[in-house]
Amino acid sequence: MKINVARMILSTLFVGLATTAQAAGTLVYCSEGSPSGFDTPQYTSGTTFDASARTVYNGLVGFKRGSTEVIPELAQKWDISEDGLEYTFHLRHGVKFHTTRFFTPTREFKADDVVYTFQRMMDKNHPFRKAYPAEFPYFTDMGMDKNLKSVEKVDDYTVKFTLNEVDAPFLQNMAMSFAVIFSQEYMEKLLKDGKPQQLNQQPLGTGPFVFERYQKDAQIRYKANRDYWDKEDGPKVDNLIFAITKDPSVRAQKLKAGECHVMSFPLPADVKRLRQDSNLKVLSNPGFNVGSIYYNTEKELLKKPEVRVALDLAMNKPAIIKAVYGEQGVLAHGPMPTTQWSYDDTLKSRPQDIEKARTLLKEAGYPNGFEVTLWSLPVARPYNPNGRLMAEMVQADWAKIGVKANILTYEWGEYLKRVQKGEHDIVMMGWTGDNGDPDNWLGNLLSCAAVGGSNNSRFCYKPFDDLIIKAKRVSDPKERTQLYKEAQKIFHEQMPMSPIGTSIVNVPMSKRVEGFKISPFGMFQFNGVSLK
């Protein structure tokens, strides 16, 4: 009887996150929101990638933790043909897929899994894609759907990718989250059972942590993958919990109370207080991000560049930076951060000029202004710590030129879905670089191919598009830089979005946490992270 009571007490203790955070071998991360799903290539949100791509899965290649360096993952090495059109990946032997409560694999990772993963994205008639229709925005935003000619199995441990044209950032693109590898065996079992959509609810990969369960807006639980192929940089804790906590102030309180070990995106005003806590430490890095306000150029009111420039001129951006970012951000002058190679430092953010803005609106046919909706970020992001405050300040500035902005927002997953469909007039979003290449900014965010994906402005302008396509097809960095600088000048004239700020990235955590590294791409990775 005493033993049963003890077991009951122990079970009860492990229900609360506060107690769980103290349990040996369990790391609790206070994350900012629920993932949109777990079928990684369907999405573009860092919140989703943290919960899936770098936790449950691996790609053929990846980025060294805390770095932009491309390193081997499921591929041990690769060869590139002299003409730059063929990439041959030599796969790692002995890699095991996860064994879970919902699936037990019968074989190890092989070339068939790579081919199946990419053919699903390439072929709209692929059996799995027909049964579970989905779009893959990163894959199409970067033109890989058109440029990837074939993915072929050479043998069980060799795969050859053939391109139609040279793609300078191809290897960096392959290290991104959309390119993780799935189990063909698991997907075909889901297909056979008539449940392909479960791929988005019950992920299974080769990554450092095994998915256990998910409670929307509450928590995600994982356990260590004890068969992980990378023994040096594998899981260092027994369990990992994402404690989903949307309010940044509440995340800070939980961290201070010991209910979690690491938190995402603190409010700028909280950073100093967290640094002063003797039980905590705060890691900081210059941000590789830009928070922006995107104008839907397909909407009649916003089609003319004069209107977009007028809205840009009306904003008091230094005041917004001071209020929203505090001491943890700087003014953004262009669509890329200043640390991105090929950044054009001759372009400067327009200072506020109400009279000039009114004149431009009048010339565009709107002497009395107009009415629009301004979508405000519902969650803190690395590029914008307080969307609501920014929206209210922008609303006040635009009122000075006769533009009435009605602030609107949705739950994060719904917000992203509606933006992708182009339902918005003007939307608050931003970007953290994914791979260190300029195309990840100008191509992903502003190309014609990215409309319906990450191009939230739905901007398609041929003089701009021709330049960025040409820049992808040459390998000389100097030539690419010149092309990208020309494209940035066109961006500044057309103003499909208004860059606002680049934030410093702060990650507060318990002093017990060891081995955590800030990703330049804004990812939260927990392989290699331990608790003292």
Side-chain angles (χ1 to χ4, degrees):
M1 185 66 179
K2 287 182 180 178
I3 292 174
N4 289 339
V5 170
R7 284 177 179 167
M8 287 173 65
I9 292 171
L10 189 60
S11 297
T12 305
L13 285 173
F14 273 83
V15 170
L17 282 177
T19 304
T20 307
Q22 303 304 323
T26 297
L27 189 146
V28 181
Y29 163 53
C30 275
S31 66
E32 73 284 357
S34 294
S36 300
F38 292 91
D39 182 10
T40 306
Q42 284 194 47
Y43 305 106
T44 60
S45 162
T47 306
T48 297
F49 294 158
D50 291 342
S52 59
R54 297 305 165 191
T55 307
V56 178
Y57 294 106
N58 293 119
L60 291 175
V61 293
F63 293 108
K64 185 177 181 181
R65 281 196 309 121
S67 166
T68 60
E69 179 187 347
V70 175
I71 59 171
E73 280 197 353
L74 295 179
Q76 297 183 87
K77 59 180 181 177
W78 52 88
D79 305 314
I80 306 172
S81 63
E82 285 189 17
D83 61 7
L85 296 177
E86 291 182 358
Y87 289 73
T88 304
F89 293 93
H90 304 276
L91 308 183
R92 200 175 294 276
H93 291 237
V95 176
K96 295 180 180 180
F97 282 102
H98 300 159
T99 296
T100 67
R101 58 183 169 79
F102 47 85
F103 184 73
T104 301
T106 64
R107 64 167 178 81
E108 295 177 343
F109 159 74
K110 290 186 178 179
D112 294 322
D113 303 300
V114 179
V115 174
Y116 196 86
T117 294
F118 279 89
Q119 282 184 342
R120 175 197 172 205
M121 291 191 281
M122 293 166 67
D123 182 8
K124 291 191 175 182
N125 292 314
H126 188 274
F128 196 91
R129 187 165 174 181
K130 287 186 75 174
Y132 178 43
E135 297 299 324
F136 309 106
Y138 262 126
F139 189 71
T140 54
D141 287 1
M142 296 185 295
M144 291 182 78
D145 57 328
K146 295 180 176 63
N147 197 31
L148 199 50
K149 183 178 180 180
S150 64
V151 180
E152 304 168 275
K153 172 184 174 180
V154 178
D155 58 44
D156 279 349
Y157 294 99
T158 313
V159 182
K160 183 170 74 173
F161 287 68
T162 303
L163 310 182
N164 288 311
E165 295 184 88
V166 171
D167 186 358
F170 180 75
L171 203 59
Q172 286 92 332
N173 293 344
M174 289 290 287
M176 290 167 58
S177 296
F178 81 92
V180 295
I181 305 301
F182 292 83
S183 162
Q184 178 186 9
E185 186 185 20
Y186 176 50
M187 292 174 76
E188 289 185 339
K189 176 70 163 54
L190 292 177
L191 202 55
K192 184 180 177 183
D193 293 346
K195 299 177 180 178
Q197 69 280 359
Q198 283 194 5
L199 186 72
N200 203 24
Q201 301 156 18
Q202 296 181 328
L204 181 141
T206 58
F209 292 95
V210 180
F211 173 84
E212 290 198 296
R213 62 183 181 274
Y214 167 48
Q215 183 180 353
K216 186 174 171 60
D217 295 334
Q219 61 178 258
I220 316 170
R221 288 178 173 261
Y222 311 86
K223 63 181 179 182
N225 176 10
R226 293 304 175 200
D227 293 320
Y228 193 53
W229 53 269
D230 188 347
K231 300 306 179 187
E232 289 186 13
D233 205 35
K236 306 295 184 187
V237 291
D238 297 325
N239 305 289
L240 174 64
I241 297 173
F242 279 37
I244 299 163
T245 313
K246 294 182 180 180
D247 188 320
S249 297
V250 176
R251 290 199 296 276
Q253 290 166 14
K254 285 186 173 184
L255 183 67
K256 287 174 73 70
E259 294 179 28
C260 54
H261 299 107
V262 180
M263 71 166 281
S264 65
F265 314 131
L267 290 172
D270 286 338
V271 172
K272 187 175 181 179
R273 287 192 290 271
L274 292 168
R275 287 188 191 277
Q276 291 170 345
D277 190 309
S278 60
N279 295 315
L280 305 178
K281 58 185 176 182
V282 180
L283 304 187
S284 299
N285 266 1
F288 193 53
N289 60 65
V290 176
S292 302
I293 291 174
Y294 294 71
Y295 309 112
N296 187 341
T297 59
E298 290 182 347
K299 296 294 177 86
E300 190 61 39
L301 285 169
L302 301 163
K303 281 184 176 179
K304 295 179 179 178
E306 294 88 349
V307 172
R308 303 191 296 263
V309 172
L311 293 171
D312 185 69
L313 278 166
M315 287 184 281
N316 185 344
K317 294 179 191 174
I320 293 171
I321 295 295
K322 185 175 180 180
V324 175
Y325 296 84
E327 297 176 356
Q328 306 301 319
V330 295
L331 183 64
H333 295 280
M336 307 190 294
T338 58
T339 50
Q340 173 64 63
W341 67 268
S342 80
Y343 173 81
D344 187 350
D345 58 9
T346 66
L347 298 181
K348 300 298 178 187
S349 178
R350 293 179 178 89
Q352 187 181 39
D353 190 331
I354 299 298
E355 289 308 313
K356 188 174 180 181
R358 284 177 179 155
T359 300
L360 284 172
L361 280 188
K362 186 177 180 180
E363 290 173 357
Y366 302 105
N368 300 314
F370 49 79
E371 188 172 341
V372 288
T373 56
L374 169 60
W375 291 23
S376 167
L377 277 167
V379 295
R381 303 302 304 137
Y383 48 76
N384 186 341
N386 194 334
R388 182 71 193 188
L389 177 58
M390 183 183 289
E392 289 170 353
M393 295 184 73
V394 170
Q395 181 187 52
D397 284 342
W398 286 349
K400 296 170 186 173
I401 61 169
V403 174
K404 182 182 178 183
N406 299 308
I407 298 172
L408 182 68
T409 195
Y410 296 92
E411 180 273 329
W412 185 223
E414 186 69 14
Y415 187 93
L416 293 170
K417 191 186 301 181
R418 287 174 178 266
V419 170
Q420 200 166 333
K421 290 179 182 176
E423 294 181 15
H424 58 287
D425 292 338
I426 302 173
V427 67
M428 193 177 294
M429 289 284 274
W431 195 256
T432 298
D434 291 294
N435 63 17
D437 193 90
D439 181 70
N440 185 244
W441 297 89
L442 302 185
N444 268 39
L445 303 184
L446 296 162
S447 70
C448 296
V451 173
S454 300
N455 184 344
N456 302 314
S457 301
R458 306 182 78 82
F459 176 68
C460 182
Y461 187 61
K462 193 173 187 300
F464 178 91
D465 219 54
D466 288 346
L467 286 168
I468 60 173
I469 289 171
K470 186 177 179 181
K472 283 185 71 173
R473 303 293 178 240
V474 295
S475 54
D476 178 32
K478 286 185 179 179
E479 188 177 348
R480 295 186 74 204
T481 293
Q482 187 55 44
L483 292 166
Y484 286 128
K485 284 187 174 183
E486 289 177 39
Q488 287 169 79
K489 285 179 172 60
I490 292 175
F491 163 85
H492 193 70
E493 293 164 2
Q494 292 290 314
M495 222 59 204
M497 66 183 185
S498 289
I500 305 294
T502 292
S503 71
I504 295 169
V505 175
N506 296 294
V507 183
M509 64 190 69
S510 164
K511 283 187 175 176
R512 294 179 58 209
V513 175
E514 294 186 327
F516 185 91
K517 295 182 180 180
I518 293 181
S519 164
F521 309 123
M523 296 184 293
F524 281 78
Q525 290 179 261
F526 295 100
N527 52 304
V529 179
S530 62
L531 289 171
K532 281 193 287 190

